[in-house]
Amino acid sequence: EISQLFGEIICIWCVSVWTALGSPQSINLVEMGPGNGTLMADMLRAAVQFPDFKKALTVHMVELSPALQ
């Protein structure tokens, strides 16, 4: 497992890019191979601090492993 801080930092980077793009009303956040979803959970927990960003998010988690789907 990766530290919770890693997911929070990725979230802040995503907010930065989203802002640089002009804060579009919708944005897709896609995680490939999320496993048990820990990284996405950490990112979404941090996203609460940025309500406009969180509102714009559509989350997609793509897992090919039948055991983890």
Side-chain angles (χ1 to χ4, degrees):
E1 290 294 315
I2 298 174
S3 167
Q4 176 180 335
L5 183 59
F6 182 72
E8 294 170 354
I9 290 169
I10 296 289
C11 176
I12 292 168
W13 176 81
C14 289
V15 171
S16 174
V17 171
W18 174 74
T19 302
L21 292 171
S23 305
Q25 291 184 359
S26 66
I27 190 166
N28 291 313
L29 183 58
V30 181
E31 183 177 3
M32 304 297 288
N36 63 9
T38 301
L39 179 61
M40 185 63 75
D42 294 341
M43 293 173 66
L44 294 175
R45 191 181 326 49
V48 171
Q49 302 300 316
F50 308 94
D52 291 337
F53 173 73
K54 189 165 191 304
K55 183 179 176 184
L57 281 181
T58 300
V59 175
H60 301 276
M61 299 172 75
V62 180
E63 179 59 65
L64 297 181
S65 169
L68 295 173
Q69 286 182 344

